[in-house]
Amino acid sequence: MRELKREQEEIIHVPETEAAEIGEIMSEYGLEPHEYGPLVDALRKNPQAWLDFMMKFELGLEKPDPKRALESALTIALAYIMGGLIPLLPYMFIPIAQRAMLMSVAVTLVALLFFGYVKGHFTGNRPFVSAIQTAFIGALASAAAYAIAKVVQAV
């Protein structure tokens, strides 16, 4: 909202600068001034369209769809629950805490490798490298959390 307000102010107070920014954006797409000139003129006649254009193409921001807020919140909550269950499952089935912890570490590393591989596959990165990176970062984060818990427990 702050960026939206700032962009509105710029369109009102420094329209020539904002129009020049449209030209810069269009030139990045290979358009010449005579090609994007009519676009600049048309946007200047429609301040809301101009504002929307600047938000999207200059700042890379779009208005969030308010209808998706609940869906996004539920998706994130479900992902946290499912992700949090992975390291906890061994504790539900193995009665000896030390063995459950070792199994939890193993299961979590396998899950991190799997999810890292999938992430790499879908993002176009090398899946095996992505799997190793994800597992390493997850292991590092887990070790840090474990160390902090031990320090807090000792205090």
Side-chain angles (χ1 to χ4, degrees), residues 31-92:
L31 297 174
E32 298 294 326
H34 70 279
E35 295 171 315
Y36 62 72
L39 172 68
V40 173
D41 293 338
L43 286 173
R44 290 181 80 157
K45 292 175 187 170
N46 185 343
Q48 185 59 50
W50 190 359
L51 179 61
D52 293 343
F53 179 89
M54 296 307 282
M55 291 298 292
K56 183 173 183 176
F57 290 100
E58 180 189 18
L59 302 176
L61 299 173
E62 293 186 53
K63 284 184 185 176
D65 183 359
K67 296 174 193 163
R68 291 207 15 102
L70 180 60
E71 182 182 333
S72 295
L74 291 174
T75 302
I76 291 168
L78 185 61
Y80 273 110
I81 291 168
M82 297 302 289
L85 279 178
I86 292 170
L88 294 177
L89 281 174
Y91 292 97
M92 295 177 195

Side-chain angles (χ1 to χ4, degrees), residues 89-146:
L89 281 174
Y91 292 97
M92 295 177 195
F93 299 106
I94 301 172
I96 300 168
Q98 187 67 25
R99 288 185 186 160
M101 185 180 78
L102 293 174
M103 184 57 72
S104 176
V105 168
V107 168
T108 302
L109 281 174
V110 168
L112 288 168
L113 287 166
F114 173 75
F115 290 127
Y117 183 89
V118 170
K119 178 189 75 166
H121 175 74
F122 284 110
T123 60
N125 294 324
R126 296 181 304 192
F128 288 110
V129 172
S130 179
I132 298 298
Q133 286 175 336
T134 302
F136 177 75
I137 291 168
L140 193 62
S142 296
Y146 184 81

